[in-house]
Amino acid sequence: MSGFQQIIISGNLGKDPELRYMPNGDPVCNFSVATSEEWKDKQTGEKKEQTEWHDVTVFKHQGAEFAGTYFKKGSSVLVVGKMNTREWEKDGQKHRRKEVKAISVQFVGSKGGGEKPVGNPPPENFEDSEIPF
């Protein structure tokens, strides 16, 4: 039996992404995306909100460098990927981390339409750019 897994996340970055390079020179970009759900409590009528944080890792050259260059804290992004669980041992303790391994990333804009990316000018149609890898 085989299956297929795809995760789609649309949300805002909580801080600037971290772009680093592996020993072989390949770029890797990590960032966290917040998604929120709002509802009204049926018993109290009070407005409730729950925020979930999703750790995202982008491995491929084009996507990692794009995200590391143009994504900033507050940027609205769309990430398509698959869930990945990494396990490692450090100082005798086992650690486990769930993350989204990105297949494509898309810049949707800035939270509140405010700040634009800094650095090199973005590609044409930047607001609608999707970077598959």
Side-chain angles (χ1 to χ4, degrees):
M1 183 176 154
S2 65
F4 178 79
Q5 177 194 148
Q6 183 172 342
I7 294 173
I8 301 171
I9 297 172
S10 177
N12 298 321
L13 270 66
K15 62 181 182 176
D16 289 343
E18 296 175 18
L19 178 63
R20 59 186 170 80
Y21 292 85
M22 305 292 278
N24 67 0
D26 287 347
V28 177
C29 187
N30 294 342
F31 53 90
S32 292
V33 177
T35 56
S36 296
E37 179 181 5
E38 293 180 0
W39 70 94
K40 189 181 262 189
D41 187 293
K42 291 181 181 178
Q43 293 180 343
T44 65
E46 183 182 349
K47 181 181 168 184
K48 301 276 186 169
E49 181 178 8
Q50 179 178 348
T51 300
E52 293 286 335
W53 287 93
H54 311 276
D55 292 330
V56 178
T57 301
V58 184
F59 285 102
K60 302 293 183 173
H61 279 283
Q62 189 177 19
E65 289 182 342
F66 177 87
T69 302
Y70 297 114
F71 290 2
K72 301 294 175 210
K73 178 180 179 177
S75 294
S76 294
V77 298
L78 178 68
V79 177
V80 178
K82 62 181 186 172
M83 189 57 71
N84 186 44
T85 303
R86 288 193 300 144
E87 296 178 350
W88 69 96
E89 191 170 314
K90 183 177 179 181
D91 300 329
Q93 280 195 321
K94 292 184 178 184
H95 298 270
R96 187 178 180 146
R97 178 180 178 205
K98 287 202 174 275
E99 64 188 0
V100 176
K101 188 175 179 180
I103 296 168
S104 71
V105 293
Q106 183 173 354
F107 181 88
V108 182
S110 297
K111 188 175 183 178
E115 161 183 339
K116 288 287 182 188
V118 296
N120 295 329
E124 277 189 41
N125 300 322
F126 178 66
E127 296 284 331
D128 300 321
S129 296
E130 178 179 0
I131 306 298
F133 8 101

